[in-house]
Amino acid sequence: DAAHLPGRLQVYQQGRDDAHQRQISLIRDLRHAASNAELLLYYQPKLDIRAGQVHEAEALLRWNHPQYGMVSPGEFIPLAERTGSIQILTAWVIEEVVRQLHEWNSRGLHMQVSLNISAEDLGSLQLAERVAALLAGQAVAAEQLVFEITESAVMQDPERALEVLHSLRNCGIHLSVDDFGTGYSSLAQLKRMPVQELKIDQSFIRELDEQSDDAVIVRSTIDMSHSLGLKVVAEGVEFQRNLDLLRLWNCDTAQGYLISRPLPAQAFEQWMQQWQP
Ligand code: C2E
Ligand code: CA
Ligand code: CA
Ligand code: CA
């Protein structure tokens, strides 16, 4: 009983109760976040290292909660995945990205936009059908969409997930392996996935220097990807010297705060207009 705890313990217990209460509220409110217009997407540019140009961006979800303000996806996505509301969020993200691509296309800004897909989304064969139906009504090409999937998401039910990935690929959607090198990675699994791109996790990029173990991992991942015919993205690029090394090692694409933080759609458009390599 918190009332009988000595001072510091009581504060600690209070903190835990608040955190617990917050989780309960977030789980409850997640179901209505989309219909209450509390969700928004930020866009982070992906730099084509060789060409020095930006034609791609990753859409990252933000939740402006009426009580807690901006809640980070690192907090609410795992809750949504555990409580069965992730599909609602994913459906909203896909629709919003397609709507945004349509708007940008009509203004002559032709982007390829990637978005994040969870394990639970890969459980349903309807995913590809719904995306195809959505694209049919819009002047947006399937090739403008990239779905980012982690290997651990595929591992939850590999047979079903691979079936879903193939049906997405048959629609013309591009697929990318996210967070490569973390968790469960197997080359056998990678070979079975119909993917065009691989993203090296930012934990390998952050403290990259020529002599480190990370350098060995990053260089061999780039070479391996190229031999498998995949494009390679380095995420979490924060420093110029890291970009220089990645260029030297023939990495295709860089994403990170060095190029830009994720931006709201309008700020992203402005960034695209003024950006010079
Ligand atoms: P992720 O897919 O690996 O996305 C990259 C994360 O790294 C983003 O965090 C991005 O803001 C951050 N980041 C980008 N460049 C840098 C950098 O140079 N340095 C550092 N320190 N961080 C950088 P964010 O937006 O907070 O998203 C966190 C995670 O939440 C994402 O990781 C992804 O797993 C998940 N997520 C975000 N949006 C969605 C979504 O729409 N659906 C699903 N299922 N998951 C999402
Ligand atoms: Ca991602
Ligand atoms: Ca990632
Ligand atoms: Ca990540």
Side-chain angles (χ1 to χ4, degrees):
D1 181 356
H4 297 114
L5 296 172
R8 279 180 57 190
L9 252 185
Q10 197 176 336
V11 170
Y12 172 74
Q13 184 61 38
Q14 185 62 49
R16 285 189 26 158
D17 289 348
D18 289 350
H20 188 64
Q21 188 51 55
R22 178 178 162 110
Q23 268 205 5
I24 291 170
S25 310
L26 291 181
I27 289 167
R28 183 196 57 209
D29 299 342
L30 264 171
R31 307 192 147 272
H32 310 289
S35 49
N36 288 352
E38 292 161 10
L39 300 176
L40 59 159
L41 288 177
Y42 277 31
Y43 295 87
Q44 186 176 37
K46 293 161 81 174
L47 169 71
D48 176 335
I49 298 177
R50 257 178 304 278
Q53 288 174 346
V54 173
H55 299 295
E56 294 169 62
E58 177 174 4
L60 293 155
L61 192 54
R62 298 290 180 262
W63 182 13
N64 193 0
H65 187 277
Q67 182 184 350
Y68 299 116
M70 282 294 186
V71 186
S72 114
E75 180 175 10
F76 70 81
I77 293 289
L79 295 178
E81 289 175 339
R82 274 202 276 124
T83 59
S85 35
I86 189 69
Q87 278 103 333
I88 306 175
L89 298 186
T90 304
W92 183 86
V93 170
I94 295 172
E95 270 184 46
E96 176 59 17
V97 166
V98 170
R99 191 201 60 74
Q100 187 65 69
L101 282 170
H102 183 101
E103 189 186 318
W104 282 340
N105 282 350
S106 73
R107 287 209 288 276
L109 178 59
H110 295 285
M111 300 294 301
Q112 190 181 49
V113 172
S114 62
L115 53 89
N116 295 279
I117 296 289
S118 293
E120 291 71 18
D121 299 312
L122 296 179
S124 160
L125 288 167
Q126 287 167 5
L127 184 63
E129 284 169 31
R130 286 205 307 267
V131 178
L134 188 63
L135 288 172
Q138 313 251 10
V140 173
E143 290 70 24
Q144 289 186 275
L145 281 179
V146 182
F147 284 8
E148 298 191 2
I149 302 118
T150 64
E151 288 162 294
S152 37
V154 173
M155 288 317 291
Q156 283 198 18
D157 181 355
E159 295 315 315
R160 168 55 64 90
L162 287 173
E163 207 179 333
V164 173
L165 294 183
H166 278 286
S167 64
L168 288 168
R169 191 59 206 118
N170 287 338
C171 291
I173 290 161
H174 285 254
L175 302 174
S176 173
V177 184
D178 206 356
D179 299 348
F180 187 79
T182 66
Y184 194 102
S185 297
S186 103
L187 287 179
Q189 184 61 44
L190 186 63
K191 253 189 73 181
R192 292 179 68 198
M193 291 169 66
V195 296
Q196 289 70 55
E197 180 185 276
L198 182 150
K199 297 184 84 170
I200 303 176
D201 190 68
Q202 52 187 57
S203 58
F204 299 101
I205 307 296
R206 216 173 292 137
E207 285 153 44
L208 204 58
D209 65 67
E210 229 161 336
Q211 310 305 327
S212 65
D213 290 346
D214 286 350
V216 177
I217 295 171
V218 168
R219 291 184 71 168
S220 48
T221 303
I222 293 170
D223 292 344
M224 174 201 71
S225 303
H226 286 160
S227 359
L228 291 171
L230 306 179
K231 257 180 55 177
V232 193
V233 183
E235 49 176 36
V237 179
E238 295 188 7
F239 307 105
Q240 183 63 46
R241 62 175 186 280
N242 292 353
L243 182 58
D244 294 339
L245 283 174
L246 290 163
R247 181 182 291 112
L248 189 70
W249 298 336
N250 235 351
C251 185
D252 303 282
T253 308
Q255 182 181 351
Y257 295 166
L258 175 69
I259 298 124
S260 169
R261 288 183 176 261
L263 300 167
Q266 220 190 343
F268 175 80
E269 266 186 75
Q270 281 162 5
W271 184 93
M272 284 294 292
Q273 279 166 11
Q274 58 81 56
W275 185 75
Q276 300 291 335

